[in-house]
């Protein structure tokens, strides 16, 4: 049981990567987060994906509008602290009905140690929803893959901005002792 | 700090000259005057007019340039819009898209909101920033002669190319392109992708 739990909690980045392939994701952009570390490496290693490091998250929102205008699917990876940076840029997704897939790794919730992460972490879902983004929270490692798949379908087939919030419970506690 | 000259170029003339022989160039325009100027130069389905998303024009251009590596992508925006997305100069320089040019019509003011002075009129050198970030070419243009030399570079030189073109704040006639974002994106994608735009 424990080993099954372990494998589920460590394979979800690979499962997201496979979902990206299934959904013909050609541009991936990110501001790094430890929770996305494995996925970022997988994307960088894939010659069919252009994987772009950003200086701030709203750059990625704008970049993926351009990607879609040019006929490519993309995905934006960030930590919850970056969501607030995106709010005005998200207006274009709503106004132009441009598909947008965001994968947000959460901080400021399950067992957070850094109090500065809590304000944005606790308002992530509400901030996104107020900007017209459909939010899919997921707190179980075994459900991350299906949630990303469903979010990608909703985004690209129904032309909507969709964010998957990958709970801090999935990612685990950050080790502050090393 | 170099002494800044009073701009002499007129923004509508500059826009018209850049787009005169555009061929199948893809154009993204920053909100406010650059969007109006592009429309005044002649409406085109391959114009993606932004009416908002301030600070996002250059990065919209990057996503488009990466998706369409065989097409030239021009971003024409204003100095205020570019200042809001300065980090994107670093991101674009690192990605080195060969087919992307970022052109700033720099009137050194926030024209849409009452002509408040912008940093570019107070010594901030956008072309210097692009150069330092690592753009393949970056320049400030303040004469018709320089503009004539640089226009072919915008369309053909290996990118990323950056230019800040100093323009006056003289008033121009109001011209308003389509505003509805769904119309703009449908039209653009159909012209670029044909039937696949609706897959």
């Amino acid at each position: 049981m424990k080993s099954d739990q372990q494998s589920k909690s460590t394979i979800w980045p690979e499962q997201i990567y496979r979902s990206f392939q299934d959904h013909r994701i050609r541009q991936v952009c990110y501001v790094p987060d430890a929770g996305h570390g494995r996925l970022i490496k997988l994307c960088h290693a894939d010659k069919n994906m252009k994987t772009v490091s950003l200086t701030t998250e709203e750059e990625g929102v704008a970049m993926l509008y351009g990607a879609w205008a040019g006929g490519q699917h993309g995905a934006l990876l960030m930590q919850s602290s970056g969501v607030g940076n995106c709010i005005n840029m998200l207006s274009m997704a709503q106004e132009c009905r441009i598909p947008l897939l965001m994968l947000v790794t959460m901080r400021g919730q399950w067992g957070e140690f850094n109090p500065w992460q809590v304000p944005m972490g606790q308002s992530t879902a509400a901030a996104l929803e107020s900007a017209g983004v459909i939010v899919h929270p997921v707190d179980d490692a075994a459900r991350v893959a299906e949630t990303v798949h469903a979010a990608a379908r909703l985004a690209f087939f129904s032309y909507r901005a969709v964010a998957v919030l990958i709970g801090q419970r999935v990612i685990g506690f950050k080790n502050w002792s090393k | 700090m170099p002494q800044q000259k009073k701009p002499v170029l007129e923004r509508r003339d500059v826009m018209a000259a850049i787009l005169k022989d555009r061929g199948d160039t893809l154009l993204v325009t920053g909100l406010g005057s650059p969007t109006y100027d592009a429309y005044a130069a002649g409406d085109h389905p391959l114009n993606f007019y932004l009416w908002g998303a301030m600070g996002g024009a250059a990065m919209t251009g990057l996503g488009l340039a990466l998706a369409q590596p065989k097409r030239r992508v021009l971003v024409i925006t204003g100095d205020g819009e570019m200042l809001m997305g300065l980090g994107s100069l670093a991101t674009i320089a690192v990605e080195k898209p060969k087919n992307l040019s970022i052109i700033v019509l720099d009137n050194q003011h926030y024209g849409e909101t009452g002509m408040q002075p912008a940093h570019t009129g107070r010594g901030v050198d956008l072309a210097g920033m692009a150069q330092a970030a690592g753009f393949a070419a970056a320049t400030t243009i303040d004469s018709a002669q320089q503009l004539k030399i640089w226009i072919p570079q915008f369309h053909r030189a290996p990118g990323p190319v950056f230019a800040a073109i100093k323009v006056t704040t003289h008033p121009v006639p109001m011209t308003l392109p389509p505003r509805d974002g769904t119309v703009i994106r449908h039209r653009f994608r159909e012209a670029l992708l044909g039937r696949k735009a609706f897959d």
Side-chain angles (χ1 to χ4, degrees):
Chain A
M1 180 68 194
K2 192 163 185 243
S3 68
D4 181 47
Q5 204 61 32
Q6 187 74 20
S7 68
K8 273 180 182 165
S9 68
T10 51
I11 60 174
W12 61 267
E14 276 79 5
Q15 291 172 332
I16 293 176
Y17 171 68
R18 278 199 292 280
S19 190
F20 281 4
Q21 292 176 312
D22 293 344
H23 286 278
R24 295 181 292 114
I25 301 285
R26 293 287 177 269
Q27 296 190 30
V28 175
C29 48
Y30 65 90
V31 173
D33 178 61
H36 280 313
R38 176 84 189 120
L39 178 60
I40 288 168
K41 274 190 188 151
L42 289 166
C43 293
H44 267 298
D46 187 330
K47 287 188 175 62
N48 291 320
M49 287 179 193
K50 194 74 195 164
T51 304
V52 174
S53 170
L54 309 164
T55 72
T56 177
E57 292 80 359
E58 68 263 40
E59 284 181 11
V61 178
M63 179 179 145
L64 296 187
Y65 297 154
W68 189 76
Q72 287 191 339
H73 291 175
L76 170 58
L77 319 180
M78 71 181 77
Q79 183 186 94
S80 49
S81 54
V83 164
N85 295 344
C86 297
I87 299 302
N88 184 53
M89 209 62 83
L90 288 168
S91 60
M92 189 165 159
Q94 191 175 136
E95 172 51 26
C96 299
R97 283 242 339 264
I98 294 179
L100 179 67
L101 177 63
M102 303 165 70
L103 304 190
V104 180
T105 42
M106 294 303 297
R107 292 289 305 272
Q109 39 169 233
W110 184 259
E112 180 60 61
F113 175 81
N114 179 353
W116 295 59
Q117 286 282 359
V118 177
M120 192 66 239
Q122 287 298 317
S123 58
T124 295
L128 285 167
E129 282 169 350
S130 74
V133 178
I134 299 166
V135 174
H136 288 351
V138 55
D139 265 327
D140 176 357
R143 294 192 187 280
V144 171
E146 66 179 34
T147 308
V148 171
H149 174 62
R153 283 180 58 93
L154 183 56
F156 299 120
F157 296 156
S158 290
Y159 316 102
R160 289 296 191 281
V162 186
V164 176
L165 309 188
I166 302 170
Q168 202 163 356
R169 193 172 188 176
V170 172
I171 294 150
F173 299 128
K174 179 171 174 172
N175 184 352
W176 289 89
S177 64
K178 63 175 182 188
Chain B
M1 190 184 305
Q3 184 68 36
Q4 295 203 329
K5 290 178 254 178
K6 197 169 158 41
V8 295
L9 294 170
E10 300 296 345
R11 56 185 315 125
R12 291 276 162 96
D13 297 345
V14 171
M15 183 66 88
I18 294 169
L19 296 179
K20 185 164 167 279
D21 299 310
R22 65 180 286 171
D24 64 0
T25 293
L26 310 177
L27 175 66
V28 177
T29 61
L31 81 171
S33 294
T35 280
Y36 315 148
D37 298 336
Y39 181 71
D43 192 23
H44 197 291
L46 294 176
N47 289 357
F48 205 117
Y49 302 116
L50 300 181
W51 282 82
M54 187 164 174
M59 286 302 294
T60 304
L62 176 63
L64 187 55
L66 294 176
Q68 291 287 330
K70 292 182 179 151
R71 302 288 280 266
R72 193 72 182 193
V73 176
L74 299 190
V75 173
I76 306 185
T77 189
D79 46 308
E81 205 276 345
M82 190 70 248
L83 285 165
M84 197 175 277
L86 282 179
S88 56
L89 292 179
T91 300
I92 289 166
V94 166
E95 290 309 314
K96 299 183 175 28
K98 286 198 174 347
N99 57 331
L100 178 64
S101 294
I102 310 288
I103 300 160
V104 176
L105 297 184
D106 179 5
N107 70 356
Q108 308 180 352
H109 289 82
Y110 291 91
E112 199 67 7
T113 52
M115 282 295 168
Q116 296 86 354
H119 294 353
T120 52
R122 300 157 139 188
V124 171
D125 174 7
L126 287 174
M129 288 176 162
Q131 178 93 53
F135 270 61
T139 189
T140 301
I141 292 170
D142 42 30
S143 73
Q145 197 181 9
Q146 273 176 295
L147 181 65
K148 199 175 166 191
I149 293 164
W150 272 90
I151 285 174
Q153 314 277 323
F154 299 159
H155 291 281
R156 280 183 285 282
V161 172
F162 182 92
I165 306 176
K166 296 289 181 178
V167 296
T168 73
T169 54
H170 298 156
V172 293
M174 188 52 95
T175 56
L176 297 177
R179 294 193 304 287
D180 185 330
T182 58
V183 169
I184 295 164
R185 64 90 141 157
H186 266 305
R187 196 175 74 144
F188 183 92
R189 277 182 35 110
E190 188 174 18
L192 176 60
L193 306 169
R195 189 66 195 79
K196 281 178 70 182
F198 308 108
D199 283 354

